[in-house]
Amino acid sequence: SCVLGNGYGVTLFGGVRFAPIFAVELAYDAFWHSSGDLFQLAVLQALRFDAKVFFPTQTNVEPFVFAGASLSLYGDQFRADTYGFGFEVGVGGDVAISELVSIGAVVAYRGIRFQEFTADGRPYGTSLVSTLSVGGQLTVHPDFQPLGRPPSGP
């Protein structure tokens, strides 16, 4: 049986925009997956670092592409039975609904190479996992002012 089936999850991320078209982000994912009879509650966790390039449109819609690297953990109930390093590439877009909030969509391909592990007395070899993630996001943009720059407005 498949040890990493369909799943769902959440992502928390933060980032810094260095220029109108370039940003970096750090994200934490927790995804719950079906695993056949291997785990009671299979959890795939990832810590990801991404670089993102935006395409300005002079509207409230902002398409982007991104690429990054990750460290993933997989196991039962947030335990790390195995780990792996990976990469990702994707596309998406944000729609600003105010100066503070945007909503968006993301499609990403992720590849992860997991190390050998033993679970429930059975050995599992090294494996390459390919995933396609489709998701929505709600982003809050705080009024961040770099050090030394006075805040805008009254």
Side-chain angles (χ1 to χ4, degrees), residues 13-46:
F13 71 92
V16 176
R17 196 154 181 173
F18 291 104
I21 65 167
F22 183 72
V24 295
E25 293 179 347
L26 184 65
Y28 168 76
D29 301 321
F31 292 102
W32 294 266
H33 286 268
S34 60
S35 66
D37 61 352
L38 179 62
F39 295 131
Q40 181 179 355
L41 178 63
V43 180
L44 173 63
Q45 302 173 76

Tab-separated table of all heavy atoms in Angstrom, residues 13-46:
chain	number	residue	atom	x	y	z
A	13	PHE	N	3.403	31.266	6.729
A	13	PHE	CA	4.605	31.787	6.094
A	13	PHE	C	4.768	33.270	6.386
A	13	PHE	O	3.821	33.972	6.712
A	13	PHE	CB	4.600	31.527	4.585
A	13	PHE	CG	3.616	32.351	3.793
A	13	PHE	CD1	3.993	33.553	3.231
A	13	PHE	CD2	2.317	31.910	3.621
A	13	PHE	CE1	3.092	34.308	2.501
A	13	PHE	CE2	1.411	32.651	2.888
A	13	PHE	CZ	1.796	33.853	2.337
A	14	GLY	N	6.006	33.697	6.276
A	14	GLY	CA	6.349	35.108	6.389
A	14	GLY	C	7.437	35.398	5.388
A	14	GLY	O	8.132	34.488	4.923
A	15	GLY	N	7.561	36.647	5.036
A	15	GLY	CA	8.567	36.970	4.051
A	15	GLY	C	8.924	38.429	4.054
A	15	GLY	O	8.340	39.240	4.775
A	16	VAL	N	9.899	38.745	3.236
A	16	VAL	CA	10.369	40.120	3.090
A	16	VAL	C	10.448	40.414	1.598
A	16	VAL	O	11.007	39.624	0.829
A	16	VAL	CB	11.760	40.313	3.729
A	16	VAL	CG1	12.285	41.718	3.484
A	16	VAL	CG2	11.714	40.009	5.214
A	17	ARG	N	9.894	41.553	1.223
A	17	ARG	CA	9.953	41.992	-0.176
A	17	ARG	C	11.082	42.997	-0.287
A	17	ARG	O	11.048	44.059	0.322
A	17	ARG	CB	8.621	42.615	-0.572
A	17	ARG	CG	8.453	42.735	-2.039
A	17	ARG	CD	6.995	42.721	-2.356
A	17	ARG	NE	6.773	42.817	-3.771
A	17	ARG	CZ	5.611	42.689	-4.325
A	17	ARG	NH1	4.553	42.467	-3.580
A	17	ARG	NH2	5.485	42.782	-5.612
A	18	PHE	N	12.097	42.646	-1.065
A	18	PHE	CA	13.281	43.484	-1.200
A	18	PHE	C	13.166	44.518	-2.304
A	18	PHE	O	13.896	45.491	-2.319
A	18	PHE	CB	14.523	42.623	-1.449
A	18	PHE	CG	14.912	41.824	-0.250
A	18	PHE	CD1	14.642	40.470	-0.197
A	18	PHE	CD2	15.540	42.413	0.817
A	18	PHE	CE1	14.998	39.717	0.918
A	18	PHE	CE2	15.899	41.681	1.937
A	18	PHE	CZ	15.627	40.327	1.979
A	19	ALA	N	12.281	44.293	-3.246
A	19	ALA	CA	12.099	45.186	-4.393
A	19	ALA	C	10.678	44.972	-4.898
A	19	ALA	O	10.022	44.010	-4.506
A	19	ALA	CB	13.119	44.867	-5.483
A	20	PRO	N	10.203	45.833	-5.776
A	20	PRO	CA	8.843	45.642	-6.287
A	20	PRO	C	8.613	44.282	-6.945
A	20	PRO	O	7.492	43.811	-6.995
A	20	PRO	CB	8.683	46.772	-7.307
A	20	PRO	CG	9.635	47.828	-6.859
A	20	PRO	CD	10.796	47.091	-6.260
A	21	ILE	N	9.692	43.634	-7.413
A	21	ILE	CA	9.487	42.357	-8.096
A	21	ILE	C	10.119	41.156	-7.394
A	21	ILE	O	9.967	40.036	-7.859
A	21	ILE	CB	10.001	42.412	-9.556
A	21	ILE	CG1	11.517	42.602	-9.596
A	21	ILE	CG2	9.283	43.468	-10.351
A	21	ILE	CD1	12.118	42.344	-10.961
A	22	PHE	N	10.813	41.326	-6.251
A	22	PHE	CA	11.529	40.215	-5.631
A	22	PHE	C	11.241	40.110	-4.136
A	22	PHE	O	11.277	41.105	-3.423
A	22	PHE	CB	13.038	40.352	-5.852
A	22	PHE	CG	13.818	39.203	-5.297
A	22	PHE	CD1	13.778	37.951	-5.898
A	22	PHE	CD2	14.573	39.366	-4.156
A	22	PHE	CE1	14.486	36.881	-5.371
A	22	PHE	CE2	15.298	38.305	-3.620
A	22	PHE	CZ	15.247	37.069	-4.233
A	23	ALA	N	10.993	38.864	-3.683
A	23	ALA	CA	10.766	38.610	-2.261
A	23	ALA	C	11.337	37.243	-1.894
A	23	ALA	O	11.543	36.385	-2.759
A	23	ALA	CB	9.274	38.647	-1.945
A	24	VAL	N	11.595	37.045	-0.610
A	24	VAL	CA	11.943	35.731	-0.081
A	24	VAL	C	10.946	35.403	1.020
A	24	VAL	O	10.423	36.294	1.696
A	24	VAL	CB	13.393	35.662	0.457
A	24	VAL	CG1	14.389	35.845	-0.675
A	24	VAL	CG2	13.641	36.668	1.553
A	25	GLU	N	10.663	34.103	1.168
A	25	GLU	CA	9.703	33.658	2.169
A	25	GLU	C	10.225	32.428	2.891
A	25	GLU	O	10.940	31.608	2.310
A	25	GLU	CB	8.358	33.315	1.522
A	25	GLU	CG	7.643	34.497	0.955
A	25	GLU	CD	6.330	34.148	0.290
A	25	GLU	OE1	6.060	32.949	0.033
A	25	GLU	OE2	5.561	35.085	0.028
A	26	LEU	N	9.835	32.298	4.152
A	26	LEU	CA	10.095	31.116	4.958
A	26	LEU	C	8.727	30.579	5.361
A	26	LEU	O	7.885	31.341	5.852
A	26	LEU	CB	10.938	31.468	6.178
A	26	LEU	CG	11.361	30.299	7.062
A	26	LEU	CD1	12.298	29.358	6.293
A	26	LEU	CD2	12.041	30.805	8.318
A	27	ALA	N	8.497	29.283	5.145
A	27	ALA	CA	7.178	28.711	5.407
A	27	ALA	C	7.306	27.415	6.202
A	27	ALA	O	8.296	26.688	6.078
A	27	ALA	CB	6.453	28.442	4.097
A	28	TYR	N	6.266	27.132	6.985
A	28	TYR	CA	6.122	25.857	7.688
A	28	TYR	C	4.816	25.226	7.229
A	28	TYR	O	3.761	25.875	7.274
A	28	TYR	CB	6.111	26.045	9.207
A	28	TYR	CG	5.688	24.793	9.929
A	28	TYR	CD1	6.569	23.727	10.069
A	28	TYR	CD2	4.403	24.656	10.434
A	28	TYR	CE1	6.174	22.562	10.710
A	28	TYR	CE2	4.007	23.500	11.078
A	28	TYR	CZ	4.894	22.451	11.210
A	28	TYR	OH	4.507	21.288	11.834
A	29	ASP	N	4.877	23.981	6.759
A	29	ASP	CA	3.700	23.235	6.327
A	29	ASP	C	3.436	22.094	7.293
A	29	ASP	O	4.377	21.457	7.776
A	29	ASP	CB	3.919	22.580	4.953
A	29	ASP	CG	4.233	23.555	3.848
A	29	ASP	OD1	3.631	24.637	3.834
A	29	ASP	OD2	5.070	23.216	2.985
A	30	ALA	N	2.165	21.800	7.521
A	30	ALA	CA	1.740	20.585	8.211
A	30	ALA	C	0.599	20.003	7.388
A	30	ALA	O	-0.454	20.640	7.247
A	30	ALA	CB	1.294	20.877	9.633
A	31	PHE	N	0.827	18.818	6.800
A	31	PHE	CA	-0.175	18.159	5.966
A	31	PHE	C	-0.483	16.785	6.542
A	31	PHE	O	0.428	16.032	6.878
A	31	PHE	CB	0.337	17.996	4.528
A	31	PHE	CG	0.493	19.297	3.797
A	31	PHE	CD1	1.742	19.868	3.637
A	31	PHE	CD2	-0.605	19.950	3.278
A	31	PHE	CE1	1.897	21.068	2.964
A	31	PHE	CE2	-0.464	21.153	2.601
A	31	PHE	CZ	0.784	21.717	2.443
A	32	TRP	N	-1.758	16.480	6.642
A	32	TRP	CA	-2.216	15.186	7.122
A	32	TRP	C	-2.549	14.338	5.903
A	32	TRP	O	-3.285	14.771	5.017
A	32	TRP	CB	-3.432	15.366	8.027
A	32	TRP	CG	-3.065	16.084	9.278
A	32	TRP	CD1	-2.710	15.507	10.471
A	32	TRP	CD2	-2.978	17.496	9.491
A	32	TRP	NE1	-2.403	16.479	11.401
A	32	TRP	CE2	-2.565	17.716	10.815
A	32	TRP	CE3	-3.200	18.616	8.679
A	32	TRP	CZ2	-2.382	18.982	11.352
A	32	TRP	CZ3	-3.012	19.878	9.222
A	32	TRP	CH2	-2.607	20.049	10.540
A	33	HIS	N	-1.990	13.122	5.853
A	33	HIS	CA	-2.127	12.260	4.679
A	33	HIS	C	-2.681	10.893	5.051
A	33	HIS	O	-2.502	10.426	6.174
A	33	HIS	CB	-0.755	12.043	4.019
A	33	HIS	CG	-0.264	13.227	3.269
A	33	HIS	ND1	-0.505	13.404	1.938
A	33	HIS	CD2	0.448	14.309	3.673
A	33	HIS	CE1	0.029	14.543	1.547
A	33	HIS	NE2	0.619	15.109	2.577
A	34	SER	N	-3.288	10.246	4.056
A	34	SER	CA	-3.618	8.834	4.220
A	34	SER	C	-2.316	8.058	4.012
A	34	SER	O	-1.471	8.454	3.214
A	34	SER	CB	-4.694	8.411	3.216
A	34	SER	OG	-4.239	8.610	1.897
A	35	SER	N	-2.144	6.974	4.768
A	35	SER	CA	-0.905	6.200	4.651
A	35	SER	C	-1.185	4.704	4.640
A	35	SER	O	-0.339	3.916	5.061
A	35	SER	CB	0.047	6.544	5.800
A	35	SER	OG	-0.505	6.110	7.026
A	36	GLY	N	-2.355	4.319	4.173
A	36	GLY	CA	-2.703	2.904	4.250
A	36	GLY	C	-2.806	2.513	5.704
A	36	GLY	O	-3.390	3.239	6.507
A	37	ASP	N	-2.196	1.408	6.074
A	37	ASP	CA	-2.217	0.977	7.476
A	37	ASP	C	-0.895	1.271	8.181
A	37	ASP	O	-0.638	0.742	9.258
A	37	ASP	CB	-2.559	-0.508	7.566
A	37	ASP	CG	-1.540	-1.381	6.846
A	37	ASP	OD1	-0.655	-0.840	6.151
A	37	ASP	OD2	-1.627	-2.609	6.986
A	38	LEU	N	-0.050	2.124	7.590
A	38	LEU	CA	1.277	2.381	8.155
A	38	LEU	C	1.210	3.204	9.435
A	38	LEU	O	1.791	2.828	10.455
A	38	LEU	CB	2.165	3.086	7.126
A	38	LEU	CG	3.571	3.437	7.583
A	38	LEU	CD1	4.344	2.168	7.944
A	38	LEU	CD2	4.299	4.217	6.511
A	39	PHE	N	0.519	4.344	9.396
A	39	PHE	CA	0.471	5.237	10.553
A	39	PHE	C	-0.977	5.497	10.958
A	39	PHE	O	-1.869	5.512	10.106
A	39	PHE	CB	1.114	6.594	10.235
A	39	PHE	CG	2.591	6.538	9.935
A	39	PHE	CD1	3.099	7.169	8.819
A	39	PHE	CD2	3.466	5.882	10.778
A	39	PHE	CE1	4.451	7.138	8.536
A	39	PHE	CE2	4.823	5.841	10.508
A	39	PHE	CZ	5.320	6.473	9.383
A	40	GLN	N	-1.168	5.760	12.245
A	40	GLN	CA	-2.498	6.121	12.727
A	40	GLN	C	-2.884	7.502	12.198
A	40	GLN	O	-3.986	7.712	11.721
A	40	GLN	CB	-2.506	6.122	14.259
A	40	GLN	CG	-3.839	6.459	14.853
A	40	GLN	CD	-3.777	6.418	16.372
A	40	GLN	OE1	-2.777	6.046	16.984
A	40	GLN	NE2	-4.869	6.795	17.000
A	41	LEU	N	-1.948	8.458	12.269
A	41	LEU	CA	-2.172	9.815	11.762
A	41	LEU	C	-0.885	10.259	11.071
A	41	LEU	O	0.033	10.763	11.709
A	41	LEU	CB	-2.524	10.779	12.896
A	41	LEU	CG	-2.730	12.240	12.512
A	41	LEU	CD1	-3.919	12.390	11.566
A	41	LEU	CD2	-2.934	13.092	13.754
A	42	ALA	N	-0.808	10.064	9.763
A	42	ALA	CA	0.400	10.396	9.003
A	42	ALA	C	0.491	11.904	8.810
A	42	ALA	O	-0.455	12.533	8.344
A	42	ALA	CB	0.379	9.700	7.653
A	43	VAL	N	1.641	12.481	9.181
A	43	VAL	CA	1.842	13.922	9.068
A	43	VAL	C	3.128	14.188	8.291
A	43	VAL	O	4.189	13.656	8.621
A	43	VAL	CB	1.923	14.598	10.456
A	43	VAL	CG1	2.127	16.095	10.306
A	43	VAL	CG2	0.668	14.312	11.271
A	44	LEU	N	2.996	15.010	7.245
A	44	LEU	CA	4.138	15.490	6.472
A	44	LEU	C	4.354	16.941	6.852
A	44	LEU	O	3.467	17.775	6.675
A	44	LEU	CB	3.867	15.371	4.971
A	44	LEU	CG	4.903	15.988	4.032
A	44	LEU	CD1	6.251	15.298	4.190
A	44	LEU	CD2	4.414	15.914	2.599
A	45	GLN	N	5.523	17.227	7.431
A	45	GLN	CA	5.871	18.597	7.815
A	45	GLN	C	7.018	19.067	6.925
A	45	GLN	O	7.866	18.275	6.540
A	45	GLN	CB	6.331	18.659	9.272
A	45	GLN	CG	5.322	18.145	10.263
A	45	GLN	CD	5.925	18.094	11.640
A	45	GLN	OE1	6.073	19.119	12.291
A	45	GLN	NE2	6.298	16.906	12.084
A	46	ALA	N	7.026	20.360	6.638
A	46	ALA	CA	8.112	20.896	5.819
A	46	ALA	C	8.463	22.299	6.279
A	46	ALA	O	7.589	23.082	6.656
A	46	ALA	CB	7.717	20.918	4.348
